[in-house]
Amino acid sequence: MSIDELVNNVRTGRTRAGSAAVHAADALDAAGRQLGAVLDVNRETLAQRIQTLESRLKAGEELPLAGVPVGIKDNIAVTGERLSCGSRILETHRAPYNAHVIERLIAAGALPVGRLNMDEFAMGSSTENSAFGPCKNPWDTTRTPGGSSGGSAAVVAAGCVPVALGSDTGGSIRQPAAFTGTVGLKPTYGRVSRFGLVAFGSSLDQIGPIARSVADAARIYDVIAGRDQRDATSSAEAVEAALPGLDDSIAGMRIGIPAEYVSDALDPRIKARVDEAARHLEALGAKLVPVSLPHTKYAIPTYYIVATAEASSNLARHDGIHQGVRAKDANDLLACYLKNRGQGLGKEVQRRILLGTFCLSSGYYEAYYDRAMRVRTLLARDFDAAFSQADVLLGATTPTLPFRLGEKTSDPLQMYLADILTASANLAGVPALVVPAGTVLEDNRPLPVGLQLLGPAFSEARLFRAGQAIERAFKGPLTLPAGALA
Ligand code: GLN
């Protein structure tokens, strides 16, 4: 059911306010756990929230998301619930407060349900770096749903929840959305508060929705976007609501096609879908403009310096002392730190902390971090130049279709390259929306293809409008083939 139908059913009294969420909890416990997408479903906190929601509805409150179950990535705080970030070191940690986005969702009548699996501390592109086991793609369970928000994307694709929250530092909402045939938005940096999101790369992190349809993602965006004084980088710019203009014409819209996002290095089937979508938009009156983002080839090295530098600082707080799991056999303070972090943090997280610490260390700072920051400026200027010619950009999200579980786990560099077309948006701070463009057959099974729309800062409403046109052109949201999960 779409969010609209769900809310209408509650509003008209056809269904009880909590029934969709209880259904979702059951589905998360069954199909969701089978996929390795679910870390926890807390029925007690859900029951309490349903009670509160019922009394608010009885009191006559008009709630735009009344009774909508929302799955939550395990790095976004929900009071009293698990907040492990897919890490051993936080396995026992419970959130003491709600993230800003959770406050907003609850105020709008939504019901957070389920803690969703993720790469440890959001570091990864396959959800295989979770301390609690890998997550599978519901389209083909031998393949990855992408990462790091793989759990969020998998449960939306599997139909357990209509929508889930993810976080995106270098592609972690968009790559999983592309791999699972769902819609995912990485908002403009500063558009959605990071308060209550466990920090990875603070200058890159954004929270956003993963949903079945463009309209559902827009509804969630409209609720979570906006100023919050508890995030110093939250923007005061007025929010243009995405839903009201969603179906407006895109005639006259200039669609830039960045050469680097349709290059021959991509899977040709993905490139063909970009071309097909572009022709659809052209038929609707949009103008296609070839553009270039010439520094794209530096996005990966730049991202992996900036992100690891910030992570090495942010993750210093996870010492197993203030919160989380403490090793039992340490007999002095230093041993305690070393053991807690040595045992509590996984291999990829340790690699990133070491990389980031190295890039920031004296003698190397200028050669790595400082240079990466200069290239970051060049990447942002690429976008400025492209947006002087185009209103939005259209291209691929990933160079490949969803790859197999285990395929890239022994080669971190190959895994990093999965983000080649997504990391630039985080480095430049611009918004990007992923929309499915049908499926292609691989080994006789349909696998989804997701296209990426990028826009200038604060152009989310425009991205949703273009996304809606693409969704229509490809005949509505994708549905998993019957029996896919049997
Ligand atoms: N896959 C990228 C990484 O491993 C991006 C992760 C993310 O966006 N959180 O860092």
Side-chain angles (χ1 to χ4, degrees), residues 73 122-125 147-148 167-172 200 303-304 352 419:
K73 186 176 182 178
M123 297 174 182
S125 308
S148 63
S167 66
D168 191 313
T169 304
S172 279
F200 165 11
Y303 168 78
Y304 277 94
R352 304 256 183 133
D419 303 315

Side-chain angles (χ1 to χ4, degrees), residues 90-138:
L90 292 179
E91 188 171 3
T92 55
H93 183 50
R94 307 245 142 198
Y97 54 80
N98 279 328
H100 177 77
V101 290
I102 300 297
E103 289 177 354
R104 289 266 185 118
L105 287 174
I106 292 176
L111 295 163
V113 51
R115 306 298 303 168
L116 303 175
N117 202 3
M118 56 184 282
D119 283 301
E120 186 175 2
F121 288 109
M123 297 174 182
S125 308
S126 67
T127 317
E128 292 167 292
N129 290 338
S130 167
F132 308 107
C135 178
K136 301 173 202 159
N137 190 324

Side-chain angles (χ1 to χ4, degrees), residues 101-305:
V101 290
I102 300 297
E103 289 177 354
R104 289 266 185 118
L105 287 174
I106 292 176
L111 295 163
V113 51
R115 306 298 303 168
L116 303 175
N117 202 3
M118 56 184 282
D119 283 301
E120 186 175 2
F121 288 109
M123 297 174 182
S125 308
S126 67
T127 317
E128 292 167 292
N129 290 338
S130 167
F132 308 107
C135 178
K136 301 173 202 159
N137 190 324
W139 289 84
D140 175 349
T141 52
T142 68
R143 293 176 192 272
T144 171
S148 63
S149 313
S152 301
V155 296
V156 172
C160 303
V161 284
V163 59
L165 292 183
S167 66
D168 191 313
T169 304
S172 279
I173 288 173
R174 290 162 289 155
Q175 184 249 17
F179 277 8
T180 58
T182 53
V183 175
L185 174 78
K186 195 286 287 179
T188 306
Y189 185 77
R191 182 71 302 176
V192 173
S193 169
R194 293 177 293 112
F195 178 79
L197 168 68
V198 178
F200 165 11
S202 306
S203 76
L204 305 159
D205 300 339
Q206 273 292 289
I207 296 172
I210 296 180
R212 227 186 120 238
S213 70
V214 171
D216 283 357
R219 272 175 214 279
I220 299 298
Y221 168 77
D222 285 352
V223 167
I224 63 173
R227 169 98 181 121
D228 170 29
Q229 60 190 12
R230 293 166 299 183
D231 172 357
T233 60
S234 162
S235 170
E237 178 97 14
V239 178
E240 182 188 353
L243 203 59
L246 198 60
D247 296 315
D248 289 0
S249 162
I250 58 150
M253 198 184 272
R254 297 169 304 164
I255 314 275
I257 314 284
E260 298 76 10
Y261 286 54
V262 289
S263 88
D264 289 333
L266 306 179
D267 185 314
R269 295 165 293 181
I270 298 177
K271 180 174 168 356
R273 287 303 156 86
V274 179
D275 295 342
E276 200 181 325
R279 284 197 304 274
H280 279 302
L281 297 178
E282 198 176 26
L284 294 170
K287 285 191 199 55
L288 304 183
V289 201
V291 298
S292 174
L293 300 168
H295 294 94
T296 300
K297 57 176 179 284
Y298 302 117
I300 291 298
T302 307
Y303 168 78
Y304 277 94
I305 291 172

Side-chain angles (χ1 to χ4, degrees), residues 446-458:
L447 288 178
V449 176
L451 306 185
Q452 187 174 204
L453 289 158
L454 299 114
F458 306 110

